Amino acid sequence: MSRTVFITDGSEAAFYAAVFRAWQRPSAHITSAKNFQPLITDEVKTVSQAEEETAEQSRRVNSALLQIDARAVSEIRHILASGNIQKEQIAYLYLKEIFRYRAPARDKTYLGCVRAATDVLHAIGKEIEHLKGFIRFRETAAGVYYAACAPDNDILPQLARHFIGRLACPFILHDISRAYALCYNGAAVARIEAAEADVPLSASEEEFAALWASYYQNVAIRARTNPKLQDRLMPRRYRKFMPET
């Protein structure tokens, strides 16, 4: 059976517009992956935020979802921010179940499409909690605190909200893998595109980093080293951004 593939520009509005257009097509597939390879029998359509009808179609789907399950709006936003290459299709099939039952569907994990959505949401929630503890801010020579990370999912907005409530100073959160940073000046957050950053540290920060590294080396009981437990509690992919390791 041939299918219709909707390739979006990656925006939330384009996703909801694609859902609107795909609704009457049983074999529809939605994606934003740049390396997506359609089948020879696929009918391919593009959906862009810039299209005139996109805003209205997006509003209609979003409004209908709010009436049935307002919590699902944020769940869809989280799924679309995930690093899963199938994220749009996972979100679309999850939406279809919500509209089919005209009720929240998150508890219907016996359905494969719902389970796929909840698995993605669980993975994102787990990474957010990890990085709340593993993010390391470092004082720069300019007095602004800077932290770099490379999360599997696009979670900088959630992390920024968390740290705004806990840091009484300007800071920069930098997602190296997605080449952008969120800058907080004490009043508002701005996004800048940045693949790399040359960040000179303050003299006191260099001293603190050396102290942390020394503490980390000396507090360990070498005879009781447990690499498997360390890897579970402190995943290796976070360690390159942690001065103590």
Side-chain angles (χ1 to χ4, degrees), residues 111-242:
L111 298 171
C113 54
V114 175
R115 187 167 60 254
T118 56
D119 285 348
V120 170
L121 291 169
H122 175 73
I124 292 174
K126 184 177 179 180
E127 184 167 55
I128 290 171
E129 288 307 309
H130 270 157
L131 284 177
K132 284 178 182 179
F134 293 142
I135 284 284
R136 295 293 185 262
F137 283 97
R138 311 186 74 181
E139 186 183 42
T140 67
V144 176
Y145 285 82
Y146 170 86
C149 59
D152 294 334
N153 305 288
D154 189 1
I155 56 175
L156 246 58
Q158 293 92 322
L159 291 173
R161 285 195 292 270
H162 171 78
F163 288 113
I164 286 170
R166 285 158 178 78
L167 297 179
C169 60
F171 65 80
I172 298 171
L173 267 175
H174 190 182
D175 187 333
I176 301 292
S177 59
R178 292 173 181 80
Y180 82 94
L182 295 182
C183 306
Y184 177 64
N185 64 5
V189 176
R191 173 176 170 140
I192 61 170
E193 304 305 313
E196 299 178 353
D198 183 11
V199 183
L201 301 177
S202 68
S204 60
E205 180 60 40
E206 297 281 11
E207 294 174 3
F208 276 118
L211 280 172
W212 269 115
S214 176
Y215 172 81
Y216 184 82
Q217 291 296 324
N218 288 286
V219 75
I221 302 172
R222 298 189 183 281
R224 300 181 66 180
T225 300
N226 187 338
K228 289 185 178 179
L229 181 63
Q230 287 178 335
D231 289 346
R232 182 163 61 85
L233 298 178
M234 185 187 288
R236 289 179 180 269
R237 66 183 182 276
Y238 301 139
R239 295 183 194 179
K240 60 183 176 180
F241 301 110
M242 302 171 71

Side-chain angles (χ1 to χ4, degrees), residues 56-108:
E56 175 59 18
Q57 292 173 346
S58 174
R59 185 198 64 77
R60 290 178 63 178
V61 176
N62 200 271
S63 177
L65 181 59
L66 278 169
Q67 292 178 30
I68 300 171
D69 185 3
R71 179 178 159 188
V73 175
S74 63
E75 290 177 336
I76 295 297
R77 184 171 294 119
H78 277 71
I79 293 171
L80 295 179
S82 80
N84 192 308
I85 196 170
Q86 296 286 336
K87 58 188 178 182
E88 284 87 6
Q89 187 67 3
I90 291 171
Y92 171 54
L93 295 178
Y94 180 45
L95 268 179
K96 289 187 74 173
E97 294 304 322
I98 294 172
F99 284 122
R100 180 160 75 97
Y101 286 101
R102 304 295 298 175
R106 67 184 57 84
D107 294 332
K108 296 178 174 61

Side-chain angles (χ1 to χ4, degrees), residues 4-8 14-15 18-20 22 28-32 85-90 92:
T4 305
V5 176
F6 294 88
I7 301 179
T8 77
F15 166 74
V19 170
F20 182 91
H29 186 93
I30 302 177
T31 184
S32 68
I85 196 170
Q86 296 286 336
K87 58 188 178 182
E88 284 87 6
Q89 187 67 3
I90 291 171
Y92 171 54

